[in-house]
Amino acid sequence: MKKVAMLVFFVAIIALCAGIVHHYDIYSIQHSEADIQIYLNDWYKEDQPLLLELHVLGESSTVIATYLHKKDNIGAMIFEKGMNRQLKLIRVLDNQAFYSELVETNKGTYALFVGENRELTIKTIHTDIKGEDGEKEITVPPQAYFTKIEKAESWVKSGAAPIYFYKTLQGALGATSEHSGMELLFMDRVNQTYMLHSLENNSLNTVLGSFEFSEEGYRITSEKKKDTYSMKGEKTFCFEEKQVKSADGEHNYIHGLIPNMGEVQKVVLEVELEDEMIFQAASDVKNQQFLLHVEIPEHILKEGKVIRKFHLYDKEGKFLGTELKS
């Protein structure tokens, strides 16, 4: 019986030693910036990653390392600390510009937000993590790369795409518009619409779209396809009616060209119905173009003959003439 007890004892010692060796083998990464940098170098080989920061999630045994890879792409590694105070890798995040993750630790659940803001244009992000009070929104600091960590008990992850809000309309356009090389020409803050333009190879390109603005920032909500106008030959005063949808409904605009009248700096539109003025709007002239927001109920337009009078003025307010269009 004594021999059996001794055998059991020795087996237990051997198992314990094997367990300790196995633990040290799994938790083998030193918890230091220098050692994690070496680990990153080995993981990405010739990519030359750069460690940014180490974060411990509260009082838990979970450690987050944020870093750059492929020169300037953000990444994060989630580590767990063992009894030997060394780390083992749990998860790698390295294929997106923004991550919102729920991380389970030995001290509860944490929300991890890691992302890029290279142009410093992002103001707010609606994430896919929800708490009792709805979707979690984070205010983005003025840093090229950022990390935010919050306690997240009872929070859930929906998997929806993040929604970005920007500090300026130009920032929102630069991040979301497919029309590279186009410049912002007109911005209607009241109706939250805008027009982009560019002139290439004697072709004028314009895009009319809408945006949303709130305390969270700017977000593009709709964008019409590009319109292209030939600018070859002699051009005279002309205009086109356009429509764009926004959060408030559909808006009507008149986009006009005055290519041979460089002294014109302002256009005032008067709409007359049976010799009675029923609407008036004004627009500055930019790059020999104007954009007028028109609010006339359709049933009024059907009541009789409508005449549009475009009154032209120079920068001193001197009247230059009128273009009549019925």
Side-chain angles (χ1 to χ4, degrees):
M1 193 70 182
K2 188 175 182 181
K3 290 181 179 181
V4 174
M6 289 294 292
L7 180 60
V8 171
F9 175 75
F10 280 116
V11 170
I13 292 295
I14 293 171
L16 178 61
C17 291
I20 293 174
V21 170
H22 182 64
H23 183 88
Y24 272 77
D25 185 53
I26 294 177
Y27 293 86
S28 58
I29 308 168
Q30 294 289 336
H31 186 192
S32 72
E33 291 187 1
D35 285 284
I36 291 178
Q37 181 65 67
I38 292 172
Y39 185 81
L40 288 170
N41 293 342
D42 184 62
W43 183 275
Y44 287 96
K45 304 301 180 185
E46 297 180 1
D47 189 24
Q48 297 182 327
L50 175 65
L51 178 66
L52 295 178
E53 295 178 302
L54 291 181
H55 302 270
V56 178
L57 299 190
E59 299 179 354
S60 74
S61 60
T62 300
V63 177
I64 306 296
T66 59
Y67 58 92
L68 301 183
H69 65 102
K70 295 180 180 177
K71 292 186 179 180
D72 53 9
N73 293 337
I74 191 70
M77 286 187 174
I78 303 174
F79 297 96
E80 182 182 285
K81 188 183 298 183
M83 293 183 295
N84 60 352
R85 314 301 295 171
Q86 297 185 30
L87 307 175
K88 76 171 181 179
L89 179 64
I90 301 297
R91 190 177 175 191
V92 179
L93 307 171
D94 66 356
N95 61 353
Q96 297 175 192
F98 175 69
Y99 308 92
S100 57
E101 301 291 330
L102 291 178
V103 182
E104 300 291 340
T105 76
N106 62 334
K107 297 294 183 180
T109 304
Y110 286 81
L112 171 67
F113 305 105
V114 178
E116 301 174 3
N117 186 21
R118 297 184 207 173
E119 304 300 324
L120 305 182
T121 57
I122 304 173
K123 182 177 180 181
T124 310
I125 301 177
H126 285 200
T127 75
D128 67 339
I129 292 179
K130 295 184 178 181
E132 294 180 354
D133 54 349
E135 293 178 345
K136 292 299 172 180
E137 305 165 7
I138 61 170
T139 301
V140 179
Q143 301 169 198
Y145 304 96
F146 61 91
T147 302
K148 285 180 171 284
I149 297 168
E150 296 183 39
K151 204 76 169 64
E153 299 300 336
S154 302
W155 293 11
V156 296
K157 185 175 170 67
S158 69
I163 300 174
Y164 296 87
F165 290 82
Y166 296 83
K167 296 177 182 178
T168 64
L169 177 59
Q170 288 88 341
L173 289 167
T176 62
S177 176
E178 297 179 357
H179 305 293
S180 61
M182 302 188 76
E183 297 180 0
L184 179 63
L185 184 63
F186 293 104
M187 177 180 178
D188 183 348
R189 294 181 180 275
V190 175
N191 300 293
Q192 300 197 355
T193 55
Y194 64 88
M195 176 170 279
L196 306 176
H197 86 123
S198 66
L199 184 61
E200 301 174 359
N201 301 322
N202 289 317
S203 292
L204 174 65
N205 304 303
T206 66
V207 171
L208 183 64
S210 64
F211 63 90
E212 176 185 333
F213 174 71
S214 64
E215 293 182 356
E216 297 167 317
Y218 290 86
R219 181 170 75 98
I220 303 303
T221 54
S222 73
E223 191 171 86
K224 296 181 69 64
K225 293 182 179 180
K226 183 187 298 182
D227 288 325
T228 301
Y229 310 92
S230 173
M231 299 299 287
K232 294 180 180 179
E234 293 294 325
K235 298 294 178 183
T236 58
F237 182 97
C238 60
F239 67 91
E240 183 179 50
E241 296 185 37
K242 296 176 178 289
Q243 291 78 37
V244 63
K245 292 183 178 179
S246 72
D248 298 328
E250 188 170 73
H251 295 282
N252 298 306
Y253 285 88
I254 291 179
H255 173 235
L257 302 177
I258 39 179
N260 294 328
M261 308 168 84
E263 70 276 19
V264 178
Q265 296 296 308
K266 187 173 184 179
V267 175
V268 176
L269 168 66
E270 290 184 354
V271 179
E272 292 185 357
L273 176 64
E274 304 298 339
D275 296 327
E276 180 182 353
M277 189 179 73
I278 60 172
F279 180 79
Q280 186 179 63
S283 171
D284 291 333
V285 175
K286 301 178 181 179
N287 285 51
Q288 296 181 303
Q289 302 170 62
F290 61 89
L291 188 68
L292 294 157
H293 182 247
V294 181
E295 295 179 294
I296 306 175
E298 187 175 351
H299 72 275
I300 292 180
L301 297 177
K302 293 180 179 180
E303 290 180 1
K305 186 177 180 181
V306 173
I307 297 177
R308 297 179 177 89
K309 293 183 178 180
F310 296 89
H311 303 300
L312 312 179
Y313 298 86
D314 66 10
K315 62 181 179 180
E316 279 83 29
K318 180 182 177 182
F319 175 68
L320 300 175
T322 297
E323 295 283 343
L324 294 177
K325 303 290 180 180
S326 58

